[in-house]
Amino acid sequence: YDVSVDGSVESTVEVNGSVTVTGIPAGSRTVALDGIASNCAADGAGSQTVSVTVNGTATASFAVTCTDPPDGRIYFGTVSESGAARLSVMNTDGSGVLDLTSRNAGQRIDVSPDGDRIAFDVGPDTGGLELFLAFKDGSGQTKVLSPDDSYEGTPSWSPDGAAIAFTSGPDNFQISAADSDGSNTSELTGHPEHWSLWPDWSPDGSKIAFQRITTLHSYAADARIHVMNADGTGVTALTEAAPQCEAPGREGWPVWQDHFPQWSPDGTQILFARWFNCEEDESDNYMAVFVMNQDGTDPRELVQDASLPHWSPDGTQIAFIKGGDFRGES
């Protein structure tokens, strides 16, 4: 949580933690706890008045209680009209929307195999992305990776919950993995001429699917779904290279680019999004959700004007974002 004194943020404090703020002028001061999830509440509405004496110490203690969102829910990122993003959760019928954090969060959210924790990335004011963990109700938010000027995002839990694969940056995006507490970080791809991002672990833990871009810093790039062993060896392309466009102004661009892979719960199929970007008129370009066999065979389109697909836990349904301008940036 953020700790503010008289409206000015002074520090942060972990759940069940404490922090000492120094240099506060003597007098009556208002101490507030901010960043409380919408399904949680702090006593005193998260604000207390304390009396600070010269060379003295005043203590403000807050108790935060939370209601547990129901099981069978969808985590997602929302963006307000002001551009502020936050982590939210809702029931599968769209009801019961709760904002779990006021942080700038939500590029990708992944639920741990036991369903108790969520991993998500946060965009701090200083730029880049940071990797956070929290309990399923949004409490206990803890940064596990990343200095403020770096990039660690798009997390994916290993099936045993012991590790997290993620995209690391900021200048040459690669796939890395770390223990779930942020220790023992290792880079798995490390190719200077390619970007590798958006990892997703196979259900048996043996492989990681990911997106690889072979021409950097340009939309006119070959972007395909690849797979590798969990240790980074055996990299193999699953989707084929696209032919080049011939439309005026798009010469040399690929007809399509592939993004956002995700394994089915039974490991037999992989969802991904394909961006068709070869039309001279921008409004005629679109992204569609595809599915293919786990070996890359039989790719087929499921729904147009859609992106960021995600399987339901039983593999019978998919959730996706409908509409908008994706271009692999979401």
Side-chain angles (χ1 to χ4, degrees):
Y1 303 103
D2 290 328
V3 178
S4 64
V5 178
D6 291 344
S8 176
V9 176
E10 298 290 344
S11 185
T12 59
V13 61
E14 301 295 338
V15 172
N16 298 322
S18 61
V19 64
T20 299
V21 180
T22 61
I24 303 300
S28 180
R29 303 297 170 197
T30 300
V31 181
L33 200 64
D34 299 314
I36 300 170
S38 60
N39 59 310
C40 302
D43 52 2
S47 178
Q48 295 183 24
T49 300
V50 297
S51 180
V52 179
T53 59
V54 176
N55 296 324
T57 300
T59 301
S61 298
F62 296 91
V64 180
T65 56
C66 302
T67 58
D68 193 15
D71 288 331
R73 56 197 181 277
I74 297 173
Y75 291 92
F76 61 101
T78 59
V79 181
S80 66
E81 292 182 358
S82 65
R86 57 192 180 275
L87 175 63
S88 301
V89 66
M90 65 180 175
N91 300 327
T92 54
D93 62 1
S95 65
V97 175
L98 292 173
D99 295 332
L100 298 183
T101 175
S102 60
R103 300 181 187 275
N104 184 18
Q107 180 173 2
R108 188 183 187 185
I109 306 106
D110 198 34
V111 182
S112 64
D114 62 11
D116 287 338
R117 292 182 293 167
I118 50 177
F120 59 100
D121 42 30
V122 169
D125 294 337
T126 53
L129 279 178
E130 299 171 340
L131 186 58
F132 272 69
L133 296 181
F135 294 112
K136 62 182 179 180
D137 62 0
S139 65
Q141 296 173 32
T142 304
K143 184 171 72 172
V144 294
L145 284 171
S146 183
D148 290 345
D149 60 350
S150 188
Y151 183 109
E152 274 81 30
T154 68
S156 173
W157 289 93
S158 63
D160 61 5
I164 297 174
F166 57 94
T167 304
S168 58
D171 298 321
N172 184 17
F173 296 118
Q174 301 296 331
I175 304 300
S176 297
D179 292 347
S180 59
D181 62 0
S183 63
N184 297 321
T185 301
S186 61
E187 189 174 81
L188 300 180
T189 50
H191 199 297
E193 297 179 359
H194 303 319
W195 278 358
S196 298
L197 58 162
W198 209 268
D200 193 70
W201 233 299
S202 64
D204 65 2
S206 66
K207 297 184 181 297
I208 296 174
F210 62 100
Q211 172 191 345
R212 171 160 282 181
I213 301 176
T214 58
T215 303
L216 305 183
H217 307 294
S218 172
Y219 289 140
D222 177 61
R224 290 191 275 169
I225 305 304
H226 286 64
V227 68
M228 63 182 171
N229 297 326
D231 62 1
T233 62
V235 175
T236 304
L238 295 182
T239 55
E240 62 180 347
Q244 292 186 351
C245 296
E246 298 180 357
R250 300 269 174 165
E251 298 91 344
W253 285 48
V255 173
W256 66 72
Q257 296 174 320
D258 295 332
H259 307 266
F260 315 135
Q262 196 197 36
W263 293 86
S264 62
D266 64 4
T268 63
Q269 300 181 91
I270 296 176
L271 286 172
F272 64 99
R274 176 165 286 181
W275 179 37
F276 293 94
N277 58 1
C278 198
E279 299 300 325
E280 183 178 3
D281 187 343
E282 282 277 0
S283 63
D284 292 332
N285 295 313
Y286 66 94
M287 190 169 274
V289 170
F290 274 66
V291 68
M292 62 182 170
N293 296 330
Q294 55 86 24
D295 61 0
T297 59
D298 193 24
R300 54 203 183 276
E301 184 178 296
L302 298 180
V303 59
Q304 290 190 7
D305 194 27
S307 185
L308 290 169
H310 195 92
W311 293 96
S312 64
D314 62 5
T316 62
Q317 294 180 298
I318 61 170
F320 54 90
I321 292 179
K322 181 71 172 174
D325 180 13
F326 304 103
R327 301 194 179 193
E329 299 172 330
S330 298

